[in-house]
Amino acid sequence: MHSTMQETPLSLATLLRYGTTVHGTSEVITWTGDGVRTATYAEVGRRSAQLAHGLRALGVTGDDRVATFMWNNQEHLEAYCAVPAMGAVLHPLNIRLFSDQLAFIAEHAQDKVVIVDGSVLPLLAKVLGQIATIEHLVVNGPADLTVLEGTQAEVHAYEDVLAGQPEEFDWVEVDENDAAAMCYTSGTTGHPKGVAYSHRSIYLHSMQVCMADGFGLSQADRILLIVPMFHVLAWGTTYAAMMCGATMIMPDRFLAPEPLADLIETTKPTLAGGVPTIWAGLLAHLDEHPRDLSSIRDAIVGGSAAPRALMEGLDRHGLHLTHAWGMTETSPLGTISRPPAGVEGEERWRYRLTQGRLAASVQARLVGPDGSEMPRDGVAVGELEVRGPWITGSYFRDDDPDKFDDGWLRTGDVGTITPDGFLTLTDRSKDVIKSGGEWISSVELENQLMAHPAVAEASVVGVPDEKWGERPLATVVVRDGATVTVEELREHLAAKVASWQLPERWAFIDEVPKTSVGKFDKKVIRRQYADGALDVRTLP
């Protein structure tokens, strides 16, 4: 028996029409460093239509890729709206990538047009000669165009592309399974891999973000998009905000702790999202310069686990961090940590420190080293595999069967799942330390070290050991003005973890190296150790 329901496609054209009319008075606020510029959703809709016409005039048809190389601002949102709704494919490029990775990604995606903020044009100009597919550059805002001398691409000013174009566009109704946007993984091993999101997957993911057990987003909210729009489509928050009519607050390039605190005090967001390094920097600023952050009811943290010390520190300032987990391949929202009803006191921490409860549409299983499925008892550890309507089933122009297991995505994350669906990640499969037949969680050691008051950051990696195969190396960044010894740190750890897990090798460093998405770049630390570049002290 078939249902009697209509088969209306889930598309970003539908979402754009709805958001810019029903929620036409909602606002998009872009921070300028010393104030704001504001546009309504209706105005964004009209400008998006003009941008779509302008892109058509530049030859964008079918599923051509239109890349962006931009900060979080109003014009970037206009591209988010116009490109998928006109039937093309949006491709936000990561402005923090190394040049060779940036060139590879743009060429691999076959980007035809790049919309670029003038302030980052020099970064793009360095690699343009390596990207044969780019035909047009659309430059937003003031820019030094001399850096483009010799480029083969035609150069246009953003406002000129929009000028004189109609303020309405016949948005294309595509197949809901067609690609709407794409992002690339950070490429921590091998080349970055492309993930193409469908109109359907983005629409369904947006609904999950809006749900109370998602980000709980509504028209009453003012969401601060700290997470860059080139990181998994800003975690899906732009499209979710348009779905429910929440005001969007865009920080542009002003992401250092002090301007971020200024922005929060001025614009009074109710919800925000960012990686732990952003929140750690803000906490250090707040400890020295207390600010009024009381407008924020919830701050989502993802990308990597936030240590309890960071969460408690922000609690002191009235800023509540909520863990979420996801990845480029999962759109990204897979879990969010909302403690069950009635849980209070210390028991809440048991839930807050997990990655959270799995979303209803995200199926998950744990697979052991022998390929068998592990029980969901909160104890058994295995590699997390997931599937669902916003989980990728392949990569763009990249056959990587090792990442997929009979229709399940192998996440590379290792952890446990409780019977009531709460996920706790103990490590990445490539980062777990295999010592004498036992597994040591590098994340657990890092979190315990960062709970020490003298430690600003800590990263732990496995290094070769003749006796045990691997042993942990702890690299530590000491807080400004603080002092601490290796012996004191080892004693601190001894009260928290089993004695056989304690690192023998220690190094103090100025800063933990990070990837383009703000995660600890452990491959760099391993390479530094192998090259003898670290001043390592070994305890008996």
Side-chain angles (χ1 to χ4, degrees):
M1 176 181 177
H2 291 290
S3 78
T4 61
M5 295 298 100
Q6 298 178 11
E7 296 184 3
T8 304
L10 305 178
S11 74
L12 295 192
T14 301
L15 182 58
L16 174 58
R17 280 192 292 265
Y18 179 82
T20 57
T21 55
V22 172
H23 296 300
T25 58
S26 295
E27 293 182 328
V28 179
I29 299 170
T30 302
W31 187 243
T32 65
D34 55 8
V36 299
R37 56 189 179 94
T38 302
T40 65
Y41 275 21
E43 290 169 328
V44 167
R46 290 192 290 270
R47 286 174 56 85
S48 297
Q50 291 179 307
L51 175 59
H53 283 291
L55 291 173
R56 278 280 191 266
L58 297 182
V60 174
T61 61
D63 63 355
D64 283 338
R65 262 69 79 197
V66 177
T68 58
F69 198 69
M70 307 178 77
W71 302 104
N72 289 16
N73 51 39
Q74 176 189 326
E75 291 76 16
H76 204 169
L77 178 64
E78 290 164 1
Y80 259 59
C81 293
V83 176
M86 66 183 290
V89 179
L90 175 75
H91 178 206
L93 290 166
N94 187 335
I95 65 176
R96 295 175 184 152
L97 287 176
F98 293 117
S99 295
D100 57 343
Q101 284 189 318
L102 178 61
F104 169 82
I105 288 172
E107 178 80 20
H108 188 267
Q110 302 172 320
D111 293 333
K112 183 174 184 176
V113 177
V114 182
I115 305 173
V116 53
D117 280 331
S119 61
V120 291
L121 184 60
L123 298 177
L124 183 63
K126 291 179 182 179
V127 301
L128 281 176
Q130 304 173 50
I131 311 169
T133 61
I134 295 177
E135 299 177 8
H136 299 275
L137 292 178
V138 179
V139 182
N140 177 49
D144 176 11
L145 298 183
T146 62
V147 299
L148 296 176
E149 291 179 0
T151 182
Q152 299 301 306
E154 292 187 42
V155 182
H156 317 265
Y158 185 86
E159 294 300 332
D160 288 347
V161 171
L162 273 64
Q165 298 289 357
E167 295 184 347
E168 293 184 356
F169 190 93
D170 188 12
W171 300 116
V172 179
E173 289 296 347
V174 299
D175 186 309
E176 65 177 17
N177 292 304
D178 284 350
M182 64 189 307
C183 290
Y184 277 69
T185 64
S186 55
T188 53
T189 56
H191 281 307
K193 300 180 187 300
V195 176
Y197 310 106
S198 67
H199 288 259
R200 177 177 184 266
S201 72
I202 293 174
Y203 200 102
L204 292 172
H205 183 268
S206 299
M207 294 174 69
Q208 179 65 41
V209 172
C210 291
M211 287 179 63
D213 274 345
F215 289 4
L217 199 57
S218 77
Q219 187 179 7
D221 279 306
R222 299 166 63 84
I223 183 168
L224 171 59
L225 277 76
I226 300 174
V227 59
M229 293 170 74
F230 49 77
H231 285 178
V232 205
L233 303 182
W235 296 353
T237 49
T238 52
Y239 294 122
M242 186 155 288
M243 177 175 280
C244 70
T247 288
M248 291 185 237
I249 301 171
M250 306 287 199
D252 201 83
R253 73 206 71 176
F254 305 102
L255 293 170
E258 184 174 359
L260 195 56
D262 291 341
L263 170 59
I264 293 171
E265 278 197 326
T266 301
T267 62
K268 301 191 181 311
T270 60
L271 183 70
V275 297
T277 50
I278 287 287
W279 300 120
L282 185 60
L283 174 59
H285 176 76
L286 294 174
D287 283 342
E288 295 292 327
H289 310 281
R291 309 290 285 269
D292 179 12
L293 308 183
S294 59
S295 65
I296 299 181
R297 62 171 174 81
D298 203 7
I300 310 298
V301 59
S304 58
R308 178 167 177 168
L310 173 59
M311 299 174 78
E312 289 178 327
L314 289 169
D315 281 349
R316 294 196 307 270
H317 296 280
L319 190 63
H320 181 275
L321 281 190
T322 297
H323 265 132
W325 167 83
M327 51 200 304
T328 304
E329 292 91 333
T330 67
S331 295
L333 188 59
T335 68
I336 191 163
S337 189
R338 306 285 188 203
V343 174
E344 300 293 343
E346 184 64 23
E347 182 70 3
R348 288 185 66 84
W349 279 105
R350 188 166 72 84
Y351 290 97
R352 286 189 68 186
L353 292 173
T354 71
Q355 275 54 63
R357 178 175 271 157
L358 291 154
S361 295
V362 177
Q363 300 176 50
R365 68 182 185 183
L366 300 174
V367 176
D370 62 355
S372 62
E373 187 169 348
M374 308 298 288
R376 293 168 53 138
D377 57 8
V379 177
V381 175
E383 181 182 0
L384 176 67
E385 296 185 353
V386 294
R387 66 183 182 186
W390 56 77
I391 313 295
T392 195
S394 62
Y395 291 112
F396 177 66
R397 299 178 61 203
D398 189 329
D399 183 15
D400 188 359
D402 290 341
K403 282 289 291 184
F404 301 94
D405 179 9
D406 192 26
W408 295 77
L409 171 72
R410 298 182 61 188
T411 68
D413 285 319
V414 174
T416 65
I417 302 176
T418 62
D420 56 349
F422 277 83
L423 171 70
T424 298
L425 295 180
T426 55
D427 224 326
R428 293 285 292 168
S429 60
K430 67 179 185 297
D431 293 331
V432 68
I433 301 164
K434 304 173 182 67
S435 181
E438 300 288 343
W439 284 3
I440 299 174
S441 168
S442 65
V443 173
E444 171 69 10
L445 294 179
E446 289 165 356
N447 287 342
Q448 297 296 351
L449 282 171
M450 286 188 283
H452 191 286
V455 176
E457 290 183 327
S459 182
V460 177
V461 299
V463 296
D465 184 89
E466 288 186 4
K467 181 177 181 180
W468 301 108
E470 278 189 332
R471 290 296 297 162
L473 161 70
T475 56
V476 177
V477 179
V478 179
R479 290 189 184 278
D480 291 341
T483 58
V484 67
T485 66
V486 167
E487 289 79 7
E488 289 170 337
L489 291 176
R490 186 179 171 99
E491 182 180 351
H492 167 77
L493 266 188
K496 308 290 185 181
V497 302
S499 59
W500 62 271
Q501 297 180 352
L502 295 174
E504 295 85 12
R505 298 167 178 85
W506 297 78
F508 290 108
I509 58 178
D510 294 331
E511 181 182 7
V512 174
K514 298 177 181 67
T515 69
S516 63
V517 295
K519 298 180 182 180
F520 289 172
D521 198 342
K522 296 189 177 185
K523 70 178 183 295
V524 173
I525 297 174
R526 294 188 192 97
R527 184 169 63 246
Q528 291 173 338
Y529 176 80
D531 293 343
L534 298 176
D535 183 11
V536 178
R537 181 179 173 191
T538 304
L539 298 181

